Amino acid sequence: MAVAQIAAHAGKRVRLRGWLYNLRESGKLLFPILRDGSGWIQGVAFKKALPAEEFEALRGLGQESSLEVIGTVRADARAPGGFELDIEHVTVLQAVSADEPYPITPKEHGIEFLLEHRHLWLRSQRPTAVLKIRHEIIKAVRDFFDADGFVLADAPILTPAACEGTSNLFEVEYFDQKAYLTQSGQLYAEAAAMALGKTYCFGPTFRAEKSKTRRHLTEFWMVEPEVAFATLDDVMHLAERLVTCVVGRVLERRRPELAVLERDVAKLEAIQMPFPRVSYDEAVERVNAAGGGMVYGTDLGGADETLLSQQFDRPVMVHRYPAAVKAFYMQPDPERPELALCVDMLAPEGYGEIVGGSQRIHDRELLQRRIAEHKLPTEPIEWYLDLRRFGSVPHGGFGMGIERVVGWICGLEHVREAIPFPRTIYRIQP
RNA sequence: UCCUCAGUAGCUCAAUGGCAGAGCAUCCGGCUGUUAACCGGAGGGUUGUAGGUUCGAGUCCUACCUGAGGAGCCA
């Protein structure tokens, strides 16, 4: 019997197992709040309603002790969830010692303390709500691709080389050679797309960036669709459909969790297709007209992204950046070859880039030239050139950072709350 | 890598260069409807580390350590 199902058992005797979230005492009356992962419910224990030794055991119980209770469910207008449990029996499974009480009390705590106790902090209401929404988002992503005919083909985590830059890689020993933790599954997704047509990979990615901002983790999860014969327009359309689907699913199924997080739901309800499309040229004009100081030819900084995304009530797609500031594999715009056929999707409310994608170069000679220009070693990605030797076709795809999407939809201050155990530059514990 | 800020009780924070404190948590007592319950009492400190200035340093100075916020870079 789970707390979440309590409404269907009004008037009935049930057994609940879980943890003691809080215990209020009022003479011969105890008010334990029990949580079991599915929800929270307040119990009412009258001294005369249960055996004396069980009442005493409950009375001295510390926060987060594990226990089993038997009682009768009763609808009560005073209860936040609408129901209370009249307790008849209590069995303590493990009592938390008074010498070492549970550290996360129902009071305020600093972020440093909470991060050190992340393994326990997960039990609190906010993290629980965030993790349930994260779960819903990932489920929605998989359902979306499944319904659209995509085949999952996951990329390796141990890789022989970088696909964008070499400075941000985690190096690991691989027997007698060096390997790196993947920064992106894209190159492998391209190979899979040539086999399966429409494919995606979804897994952890790693960047040894010395970034220390609310938008950065060194280990984060990314979903990367890749589609044969797709143009930049196809990539943009796929991205807006995916994001709309995900937001809609969370609104449909996770209202209670959004309420716990005090998320402004109206902002999410505004997320409807089509998303505005803004060329890089226009983006520079818009940012500078709004008071920014963007120099043409450079990437958008965090402040620039905010200035631009504030102008829309839904995610904005910025396309056709100067090729010079983008990755080597991006197809140039045939009308203006100095621009890349790429797109970044910026989330509203200052949450920044959640999607980055492009049409890929399908011509082998051009690709080889770009690899040389970027001074990348060719030997580890010789296989990648094979994709342009054997039936090369135009294709494209994008990567969507899950934690940034979770952070945006949940309205979080920092992406580290969007993943169970965040990895940041100065913290790898717990 | 750079800039800024912080570190005092388990937690959140006070303390003009002059006796190291409060609330919560813990323990003891009270209360038959509490909602971060409330009321009374008790215990709890190498003020991040190492130096320095001073009659006197939690407070001022130097270095280091740990962490937080941001920049660049990125999803």
Side-chain angles (χ1 to χ4, degrees), chain A residues 27 63 73 100 117 125-126 141 180-181 217 310 317 319 397:
Chain A
Q63 192 189 349
V73 180
E100 280 181 293
H117 295 85
Q125 284 205 32
R126 272 184 62 88
V141 165
Y180 306 91
L181 300 183
L217 299 169
Q310 275 171 349
M317 296 196 283
H319 58 88

Side-chain angles (χ1 to χ4, degrees), chain A residues 279-291:
Chain A
S279 72
Y280 172 84
D281 290 14
E282 188 189 343
V284 173
E285 285 171 26
R286 280 176 172 271
V287 167
N288 288 337

Side-chain angles (χ1 to χ4, degrees), chain A residues 134 183 203-207 209 216-222 400-403 419 423:
Chain A
R134 177 190 170 99
Q183 293 179 298
T205 51
F206 306 86
R207 306 227 174 143
E209 286 163 0
H216 285 89
L217 299 169
T218 55
E219 177 180 322
F220 63 97
W221 285 66
M222 190 153 66
M400 183 173 84
I402 289 296
E403 287 75 18
I419 187 168
R423 293 291 173 254

Side-chain angles (χ1 to χ4, degrees), chain A residues 145 158 237 293 353 377 410:
Chain A
F145 285 124
L158 290 168
H237 186 53
E353 185 180 347
C410 291

Side-chain angles (χ1 to χ4, degrees), chain A residues 134 137-138 141-142 152 154-155 157 182-185 200-207 215-224 353-354 399-406 415 418-423:
Chain A
R134 177 190 170 99
I137 287 168
I138 291 170
V141 165
R142 292 200 184 277
L152 175 70
D154 281 323
I157 289 168
T182 184
Q183 293 179 298
S184 161
Y200 75 103
C201 61
F202 179 50
T205 51
F206 306 86
R207 306 227 174 143
R215 303 191 310 279
H216 285 89
L217 299 169
T218 55
E219 177 180 322
F220 63 97
W221 285 66
M222 190 153 66
V223 58
E224 296 175 275
E353 185 180 347
I354 52 172
M400 183 173 84
I402 289 296
E403 287 75 18
R404 287 199 184 166
V405 171
V406 173
V415 287
I419 187 168
F421 294 96
R423 293 291 173 254

Side-chain angles (χ1 to χ4, degrees), chain A residues 275-336:
Chain A
F275 294 177
R277 288 153 167 79
V278 172
S279 72
Y280 172 84
D281 290 14
E282 188 189 343
V284 173
E285 285 171 26
R286 280 176 172 271
V287 167
N288 288 337
M294 259 190 85
V295 178
Y296 189 93
T298 62
D299 218 333
L300 275 77
D304 302 323
E305 287 183 354
T306 303
L307 278 175
L308 183 63
S309 65
Q310 275 171 349
Q311 301 175 20
F312 304 94
D313 66 345
R314 59 197 73 185
V316 54
M317 296 196 283
V318 183
H319 58 88
R320 292 180 172 79
Y321 283 66
V325 300
K326 286 293 177 180
F328 73 93
Y329 49 71
M330 292 181 176
Q331 176 74 19
D333 185 347
E335 293 176 16
R336 291 178 60 188

